[in-house]
Amino acid sequence: TLLYTIKFEIQLSMNSACAMKILEIGQKKSKELQVAMNIAVVDSGGNLVSFVRMDNAWLGSVDIAIKKAKTAVFFNMNTGAIGEISQPGGSLYCIEHSNGGLITFPGGIPIRDAEGKLLGAVGVSGSTVEHDHDVAETCVNGCM
């Protein structure tokens, strides 16, 4: 039974096949919006599983996309939601200085299975935060 349990857990985690599908979905949505994005997928431990920098995507957004994905998985919530509660006077004010630097504006979204278990997260950066969030949301919805 131990072998079965380990195999079952592996199937419920983020893997490269799932991450590649997420990148495909994100690139397609980005092209529809006519924007070039950096898209990162991390597992439930915040480890990078897959990444793409679309042609002509901003170099400065590479790090931002990865940090958005990590932030979303570290706190199991959308980065935009963290941004709302990390403003001056908020309960998480200055949290973006923790964990080696977090990103607290939209574009990072956790990925969960049907039971709500955290599998990982996607982070998108390269355009407006509205476009970043839209692409990230499309990635998450498309992989379910």
Side-chain angles (χ1 to χ4, degrees):
T1 56
L2 178 61
L3 191 57
Y4 173 76
T5 303
I6 292 170
K7 184 177 180 184
F8 183 69
E9 283 299 316
I10 290 171
Q11 290 174 344
L12 292 179
S13 65
M14 181 58 63
N15 59 43
S16 60
C18 181
M20 295 303 285
K21 180 179 176 188
I22 292 167
L23 294 183
E24 276 183 40
I25 292 166
Q27 289 178 88
K28 182 179 178 188
K29 181 64 177 179
S30 299
K31 288 175 185 175
E32 287 174 16
L33 295 172
Q34 298 181 346
V35 294
M37 296 290 200
N38 292 285
I39 306 168
V41 178
V42 299
D43 63 18
S44 60
N47 303 297
L48 188 64
V49 177
S50 195
F51 178 86
V52 66
R53 177 178 171 259
M54 295 176 67
D55 292 342
N56 300 312
W58 297 332
L59 287 173
S61 290
V62 169
D63 185 56
I64 294 170
I66 294 168
K67 285 184 177 176
K68 282 182 182 183
K70 286 183 175 186
T71 301
V73 86
F74 286 167
F75 296 95
N76 197 9
M77 65 173 61
N78 292 4
T79 55
I82 296 169
E84 291 175 15
I85 56 179
S86 66
Q87 297 302 309
S91 60
L92 296 180
Y93 181 56
C94 288
I95 194 154
E96 65 273 9
H97 301 291
S98 71
N99 294 287
L102 302 174
I103 301 295
T104 58
F105 46 87
I109 301 178
I111 300 167
R112 299 179 186 91
D113 67 13
E115 288 80 41
K117 179 186 176 206
L118 182 66
L119 301 177
V122 62
V124 179
S125 184
S127 183
T128 64
V129 292
E130 293 81 13
H131 281 154
D132 293 355
H133 179 77
D134 191 20
V135 172
E137 193 170 58
T138 301
C139 288
V140 172
N141 292 336
C143 75
M144 295 308 190

